Amino acid sequence: MSKSGSKKMRIILATLGGMVLLFSLVIAFNFIWDKSSTNDSCMSCHYHTDSDMSWKQSMHHNSKSGVKTDCAACHLPPKGTFEYTKAKIATGVKDIWSYLTKDKEDIDWESKGELEYAQKIVYNESCKACHVNIYPEGISDDGVTAHLYYDDNEEKLGIQCISCHLDAGHYNPNYQHAALASAPTLEGNIHEAATTVTSFENYTETVPGTTASINMIAVPGGSFAMGSSESEPFHKSNEAPQRQVEVSPFFMSEVEITWNQYWAFYAETMSEGRTPPTVIYENNSRPDVDAVSGPTPPFGSPDQGWGMGERPAITMTHYAAETFCQWLTLKTGKKYRLPTEAEWEYAARGGTSTPYFFEGSPKDYTNGGFWNEMFGADTTLINSYVIYANNSKNRSQEPGKVLANPFGLKNMLGNVMEYCSDWYAEDAYNYLADGAKDPKGPDSGTEYVVRGGTYASDAADLRCAARDYTRHDDWLKTDPQNPKSIWWYSDIRGIGFRIVCEVPEGVK
């Protein structure tokens, strides 16, 4: 064979060899690509007994049709798209890194089952790729209403299927996707009379005709610099004034109003209407407890499947919290209401003027900042006083798990945000007239002040002076009812309230 012929043969053989190698690599890559998306592959990194069992109990595995939905069908975009490839590579790299560097026993699996995290790892496009018809035969009227609302508002409001169907892929026995028919049955003795208060000291209120009781803490009056603490101005601007405020003595509930207490109110007052009562009463009161129109049944599980009992009642509106106070006032003969913003901060501080009522500053406890991000913050002290992002498992907890502040109040700075009676105004202090005892915002507004941070808050957002406000429309984003509920929010979970009782006349 000539040299040129030999050279051609080598080129042909090299080309064929390269093609065979390339073809083999493609086959191997395709095998690994497909194999790495199987349930067995997912479980090799993500295996968790409860997660596996809840998946097998869910409608995505234990369906009437017999169709079983695999992990990748929900946790990756639809196959054949660029987004699928991008998400699979990113997820694979993350999973391999976690497998090599993390201990599965140390992973907080409970928090990964909550909506905030689930929304990041479940793709709405994948839901729609399987559920082409969202009006199947047998769907309920409520389901039709909800899906019509979804069709009209998916892009505008950013609604995801999982916002309403969190239990579709992993069954949760406490998660309810239907209107609550009645209040849960509460155990305990029925109280015959309200507590008589004769002196300014702690007492336990007993609500007549119910099993509910509420521990009330006597908070002494005093003067304090509202919004004041080192490196902690009331507003974002360092030029914002700090005002000396005088607060009269009052009683405040030791913890947030619990589900046991809220269900007592609900059981006595629940209604079917969705509009506020049309009768206007003087001084925001009602002439008879039987006239109080309470909440309509919530759609779904208002406790988010976290449990009720002594956990803080959540997801009710400001209007519902005020109605609870009106009901309690009529039941007991005392004046109960939501705290003013000044009362709330005064109570939270417990006589201190530092960022927290315990030692330390935001920079010590925050998860932000170079040093804390690299090496972690020493959170031993704050963990004993506050339920927040670092110790909550991404859900509310029973208030008794933390220590009280100097006044004897628990969870003022975490667990759930708490309503105040004031309308929100960013420059609220500008409304404070010289000599006024209690800073008020404008006489009316669109949003209310909330204080205290949530189970998901960073420590830096839990300062005694930190403040926020309601976002009424955003918190009703996925509520499909028309008109929307005035009692329950659909899109905020870390909101609750605690109550204040004014000192009865003659009590010292």
Side-chain angles (χ1 to χ4, degrees):
M1 182 180 292
S2 64
K3 289 184 178 180
S4 61
S6 178
K7 183 177 180 181
K8 288 181 180 178
M9 181 59 68
R10 287 197 299 270
I11 293 174
I12 291 172
L13 291 175
T15 301
L16 289 175
M19 291 176 65
V20 170
L21 178 61
L22 179 62
F23 187 66
S24 299
L25 289 173
V26 169
I27 292 176
F29 177 80
N30 187 64
F31 175 80
I32 295 172
W33 187 258
D34 288 339
K35 195 71 174 177
S36 62
S37 294
T38 63
N39 293 335
D40 289 340
S41 176
C42 295
M43 287 297 180
S44 67
C45 282
H46 297 282
Y47 183 76
H48 183 253
T49 305
D50 292 343
S51 179
D52 182 42
M53 184 60 66
S54 64
W55 166 58
K56 290 179 178 177
Q57 290 178 310
S58 75
M59 63 185 73
H60 272 175
H61 188 278
N62 188 28
S63 65
K64 293 180 181 179
S65 65
V67 175
K68 293 179 175 59
T69 305
D70 294 335
C71 304
C74 294
H75 296 298
L76 286 176
K79 284 187 176 181
T81 64
F82 174 71
E83 292 300 321
Y84 176 86
T85 303
K86 184 174 70 172
K88 184 173 173 61
I89 293 173
T91 301
V93 171
K94 179 182 177 183
D95 288 348
I96 292 172
W97 174 255
S98 297
Y99 182 78
L100 295 174
T101 62
K102 295 182 180 179
D103 187 341
K104 286 189 290 187
E105 300 301 322
D106 295 334
I107 297 176
D108 184 1
W109 294 103
E110 283 188 38
S111 67
K112 294 183 181 298
E114 296 300 334
L115 183 62
E116 289 90 345
Y117 185 79
Q119 288 175 322
K120 300 175 184 177
I121 59 172
V122 175
Y123 293 84
N124 215 50
E125 297 83 356
S126 297
C127 298
K128 294 191 293 183
C130 286
H131 299 278
V132 178
N133 178 17
I134 61 174
Y135 302 98
E137 183 180 352
I139 188 173
S140 66
D141 291 342
D142 285 337
V144 171
T145 299
H147 287 182
L148 284 171
Y149 182 78
Y150 166 80
D151 270 346
D152 292 338
N153 295 279
E154 177 192 358
E155 293 185 6
K156 180 174 67 176
L157 300 178
I159 299 173
Q160 293 181 248
C161 300
I162 199 172
S163 299
C164 297
H165 298 285
L166 183 61
D167 63 336
H170 292 277
Y171 174 69
N172 182 343
N174 296 318
Y175 189 86
Q176 179 178 323
H177 194 63
L180 190 70
S182 61
T185 301
L186 303 177
E187 298 180 355
N189 297 324
I190 303 296
H191 303 299
E192 295 183 359
T195 301
T196 300
V197 176
T198 58
S199 59
F200 187 67
E201 58 186 11
N202 299 349
Y203 70 95
T204 298
E205 181 65 276
T206 52
V207 186
T210 77
T211 61
S213 59
I214 306 173
N215 291 334
M216 302 296 296
I217 303 298
V219 179
S223 179
F224 78 113
M226 189 172 177
S228 172
S229 62
E230 184 180 354
S231 301
E232 185 195 23
F234 185 81
H235 301 294
K236 295 179 181 179
S237 169
N238 289 328
E239 298 177 358
Q242 296 173 357
R243 300 297 182 95
Q244 197 70 21
V245 178
E246 185 178 336
V247 176
S248 299
F250 58 93
F251 296 98
M252 177 176 269
S253 55
E254 179 185 24
V255 300
E256 305 100 334
I257 292 300
T258 68
W259 280 117
N260 283 345
Q261 295 157 357
Y262 197 77
W263 287 135
F265 154 68
Y266 178 86
E268 282 204 348
T269 65
M270 67 175 289
S271 60
E272 295 299 326
R274 291 181 186 157
T275 57
T278 56
V279 180
I280 299 176
Y281 302 97
E282 293 183 2
N283 300 321
N284 202 31
S285 63
R286 302 170 189 265
D288 187 87
V289 69
D290 293 332
V292 176
S293 177
T296 57
F299 190 82
S301 304
D303 71 325
Q304 308 300 310
W306 298 341
M308 297 187 185
E310 295 304 314
R311 287 179 187 263
I314 55 175
T315 73
M316 76 293 293
T317 64
H318 190 277
Y319 175 79
E322 285 189 320
T323 305
F324 176 93
C325 294
Q326 293 169 344
W327 169 78
L328 190 60
T329 294
L330 292 170
K331 293 288 288 186
T332 64
K334 305 178 185 70
K335 178 58 179 176
Y336 283 97
R337 56 176 173 78
L338 296 176
T340 66
E341 186 173 12
E343 288 172 335
W344 193 96
E345 185 178 326
Y346 178 77
R349 290 190 175 283
T352 67
S353 59
T354 49
Y356 310 108
F357 59 79
F358 46 87
E359 293 181 4
S361 68
K363 66 180 180 181
D364 296 329
Y365 301 128
T366 181
N367 292 327
F370 175 79
W371 183 265
N372 287 352
E373 285 183 356
M374 289 291 293
F375 302 103
D378 182 0
T379 58
T380 305
L381 183 60
I382 189 173
N383 283 347
S384 64
Y385 287 104
V386 183
I387 293 170
Y388 69 119
N390 288 27
N391 63 5
S392 68
K393 296 186 180 294
N394 205 30
R395 61 181 63 185
S396 68
Q397 300 292 332
E398 293 187 4
K401 290 188 175 182
V402 296
L403 302 175
N405 76 354
F407 281 159
L409 301 164
K410 296 181 179 179
N411 259 325
M412 292 294 292
L413 302 185
N415 214 16
V416 296
M417 295 184 293
E418 300 174 11
Y419 290 124
C420 293
S421 61
D422 304 82
W423 291 105
Y424 175 80
E426 187 173 350
D427 57 347
Y429 276 9
N430 292 339
Y431 292 91
L432 183 62
D434 291 340
K437 293 184 177 181
D438 194 11
K440 292 285 188 180
D443 293 333
S444 63
T446 57
E447 304 291 353
Y448 289 97
V449 173
V450 293
R451 288 291 205 122
T454 78
Y455 58 85
S457 296
D458 180 76
D461 299 320
L462 299 173
R463 299 164 293 112
C464 293
R467 67 197 297 255
D468 207 338
Y469 56 92
T470 58
R471 293 165 175 81
H472 185 75
D473 291 341
D474 288 344
W475 291 356
L476 281 169
K477 186 170 60 175
T478 61
D479 182 356
Q481 302 173 98
N482 187 20
K484 292 180 179 291
S485 176
I486 64 167
W487 300 104
W488 303 98
Y489 281 128
S490 55
D491 297 274
I492 178 67
R493 303 190 294 170
I495 188 69
F497 67 103
R498 72 178 71 214
I499 57 174
V500 158
C501 180
E502 295 181 0
V503 179
E505 188 175 350
V507 172
K508 296 181 180 180

